[in-house]
Amino acid sequence: MTIAVTGATGHLGRLVIAKLKEKVAPSDIVALVRDPARAADLGVEARAADYEKPETLEKALAGVDRLLLVSSNAIGQRAVQHRNVIDAAKKAGVKEIVYTSLLHADTSPLTVLAEEHVATEAALKASGIPHVILRNGWYTENYTGSVPGAVQAGVFAGSAGEGRISSATRADYAEAATVVLAGEGHAGKVYELAGDDAYTLAGLAAEISKQTGKDIPYRNLPQAEYAAVLKGVGLPEGLAEAIALFDVGASQDGLFDDGHQLSTLIGRPTTPLADAVAAALKA
């Protein structure tokens, strides 16, 4: 069985490729990337595939049995990009697609993100190709990436209020994808994947304070003010606005789930927040 992974040189894709190589022969894995030269270190076959260039996709998917469609990061363009991949997969005879969607996509208050995931899930259903939906919750790294800056500034800012965040690390989600890709009996299932233990951003700030020995309080800001802070530290306007909006969704428990489907799927507890903070402080 040949397994292909889109976005294979991205943060998640690289982790999935590495995990897959522990379960199946590298000769059975294909990395789908825009620039195959960037995938030279993955140790598997790399094929040129661009979400926005349908003519590259059917050729890249030739002979592929199972495909991991890692969602694009091009917000606003993803539904079309994903449909291009699904259409090409059907033409190429791909037997199963595994898709990385969003936690509770059909009810999520993070509507800007959710709408395109819902559209992709609908396109998968319409395609008739057997598929698995991995509704990934938030990556812990989405927040711990800000830890060094928070330590420097002496404050962790956000707009998530008291919202509960059930995040897990990229490695946790990559392991779940690998379990599904290398296993059997998952077709037709929708997995709501999230971390075992929820925290608030105040709790995250407390963990940073504990590990650094410094007082790093959480400062909750109105959405517009938080977006302005993000722009002030160099983020592009669109990205800053989006991050602030996602935090507002988090304040409504849009990133919370206590079903423990992720830890059940991978057969171990998800990575504790304390470990993720420690890793961010060492980076």
Side-chain angles (χ1 to χ4, degrees), residues 58-131:
E58 187 176 350
K59 180 179 179 181
L61 290 169
V64 169
D65 297 297
R66 192 168 286 169
L67 171 67
L68 176 63
L69 173 53
V70 176
S71 58
S72 162
N73 60 8
I75 297 173
Q77 304 171 47
R78 295 187 298 180
V80 172
Q81 291 178 342
H82 297 164
R83 197 175 304 116
N84 288 340
V85 178
I86 294 166
D87 290 345
K90 187 168 185 177
K91 292 176 182 176
V94 172
K95 297 178 178 65
E96 185 172 305
I97 298 176
V98 180
Y99 173 62
T100 61
S101 187
L102 176 71
L103 183 68
H104 300 300
D106 51 346
T107 59
S108 174
L110 284 75
T111 53
V112 172
L113 288 179
E115 288 171 354
E116 292 181 301
H117 287 295
V118 169
T120 300
E121 291 183 12
L124 281 167
K125 184 176 182 180
S127 74
I129 301 172
H131 55 275

Side-chain angles (χ1 to χ4, degrees), residues 20-273:
L20 273 175
K21 287 165 67 177
E22 297 174 5
K23 291 181 175 290
V24 303
S27 58
D28 292 334
I29 303 170
V30 176
L32 302 179
V33 292
R34 282 179 293 183
D35 180 6
R38 292 183 57 204
D41 62 326
L42 293 178
V44 300
E45 179 187 356
R47 300 179 186 174
D50 190 324
Y51 292 145
E52 294 190 341
K53 297 179 179 178
E55 66 275 11
T56 70
L57 297 171
E58 187 176 350
K59 180 179 179 181
L61 290 169
V64 169
D65 297 297
R66 192 168 286 169
L67 171 67
L68 176 63
L69 173 53
V70 176
S71 58
S72 162
N73 60 8
I75 297 173
Q77 304 171 47
R78 295 187 298 180
V80 172
Q81 291 178 342
H82 297 164
R83 197 175 304 116
N84 288 340
V85 178
I86 294 166
D87 290 345
K90 187 168 185 177
K91 292 176 182 176
V94 172
K95 297 178 178 65
E96 185 172 305
I97 298 176
V98 180
Y99 173 62
T100 61
S101 187
L102 176 71
L103 183 68
H104 300 300
D106 51 346
T107 59
S108 174
L110 284 75
T111 53
V112 172
L113 288 179
E115 288 171 354
E116 292 181 301
H117 287 295
V118 169
T120 300
E121 291 183 12
L124 281 167
K125 184 176 182 180
S127 74
I129 301 172
H131 55 275
V132 188
I133 306 296
L134 303 179
R135 287 182 169 173
N136 289 353
W138 226 230
Y139 299 140
T140 306
E141 291 90 344
N142 289 350
Y143 283 121
T144 58
S146 300
V147 167
V151 173
Q152 184 176 5
V155 64
F156 194 102
S159 293
E162 293 299 314
R164 297 168 293 175
I165 299 162
S166 306
S167 71
T169 63
R170 286 192 182 95
D172 294 333
Y173 292 115
E175 190 166 338
T178 303
V179 167
V180 171
L181 288 167
E184 298 297 335
H186 299 283
K189 294 185 178 180
V190 177
Y191 291 104
E192 302 287 357
L193 303 180
D196 288 337
D197 300 308
Y199 57 90
T200 64
L201 290 191
L204 172 56
E207 183 61 37
I208 299 168
S209 300
K210 177 182 177 181
Q211 293 196 28
T212 61
K214 300 178 180 179
D215 182 21
I216 312 290
Y218 172 58
R219 181 180 298 165
N220 197 62
L221 302 173
Q223 178 182 340
E225 190 174 336
Y226 181 40
V229 169
L230 294 172
K231 283 181 270 187
V233 297
L235 268 65
E237 182 174 358
L239 180 58
E241 296 285 354
I243 290 174
L245 182 61
F246 301 157
D247 250 23
V248 172
S251 75
Q252 301 165 13
D253 274 353
L255 303 180
F256 174 71
D257 180 88
D258 60 358
H260 296 253
Q261 291 188 32
L262 177 52
S263 56
T264 299
L265 192 59
I266 63 180
R268 63 167 176 81
T270 57
T271 304
L273 177 64

